[in-house]
Amino acid sequence: MGELVNVPLQTAIWFGVVGVPATAANLLGFALVTLLLLEGAAYWTVKLRALSAGSGAPLPGAAVFATARVVNLVLLGLGVPLTVLAVADSPGTGSVPGLLFALFAVLEHVNYFHTQLMYDTAEDRRSRRRNGRRRAHLARDLERARKLGTGRPSVGEAGRS
């Protein structure tokens, strides 16, 4: 899974090659992105196994992903403001990358749990132009599991996009 490769690769690039300082703000923002990438890797691993089994069953572990969706909101709701405060207190390489990582984590959360933001193929992009944005695959799987009673409805279910 690309996400699993990205975690060590991005760590090496940003903190090794580029030389982003390992400050609390930068590590916090990067940890948020890492969490979302690992959740994405877990989802696609489970989804591909389910598809290859051909069972047509709802997403295995849907309750875990429904819980992650809510926990992410709490973590992002704390992490983004903390990185903003770090930038306000001491702008520069010790804080700005952390804020950018945290904002990217927010985009990843939206991409996985709400609305698909990434369109990889030309056909995906044509479809998006014709039909607009579509719900994320994980969001659709969680909705299906909730309707079938196999995924715990989360606190955030009422505010779905």
Side-chain angles (χ1 to χ4, degrees):
M1 309 307 314
E3 290 89 348
L4 286 179
V5 172
N6 255 329
V7 171
L9 178 65
Q10 294 299 322
T11 302
I13 290 171
W14 292 109
F15 294 101
V17 176
V18 175
V20 169
T23 63
N26 290 341
L27 292 173
L28 173 59
F30 194 77
L32 292 171
V33 171
T34 298
L35 173 66
L36 269 294
L37 290 174
L38 293 174
E39 289 172 0
Y43 167 68
W44 286 112
T45 298
V46 169
K47 178 74 171 178
L48 289 174
R49 284 186 185 151
L51 289 173
S52 65
S55 65
L59 181 70
V64 173
F65 291 107
T67 300
R69 179 179 171 169
V70 174
V71 171
N72 288 347
L73 293 176
V74 173
L75 295 175
L76 293 168
L78 294 170
V80 171
L82 286 172
T83 58
V84 167
L85 288 173
V87 170
D89 181 52
S90 180
T93 59
S95 61
V96 172
L99 175 58
L100 295 175
F101 291 140
L103 294 175
F104 186 69
V106 170
L107 292 174
E108 284 293 310
H109 177 81
V110 170
N111 186 55
Y112 289 135
F113 290 94
H114 300 284
T115 302
Q116 184 176 345
L117 300 177
M118 293 176 59
Y119 295 86
D120 299 325
T121 66
E123 181 53 37
D124 282 345
R125 289 186 290 279
R126 279 192 294 276
S127 175
R128 185 200 171 281
R129 282 191 296 274
R130 281 192 309 271
N131 305 315
R133 296 207 182 274
R134 62 182 174 205
R135 286 194 76 199
H137 291 279
L138 177 53
R140 287 181 272 169
D141 284 340
L142 289 177
E143 177 67 16
R144 181 171 177 239
R146 188 187 64 78
K147 287 179 179 178
L148 294 172
T150 59
R152 254 188 356 238
S154 63
V155 173
E157 289 288 324
R160 272 191 318 276
S161 56

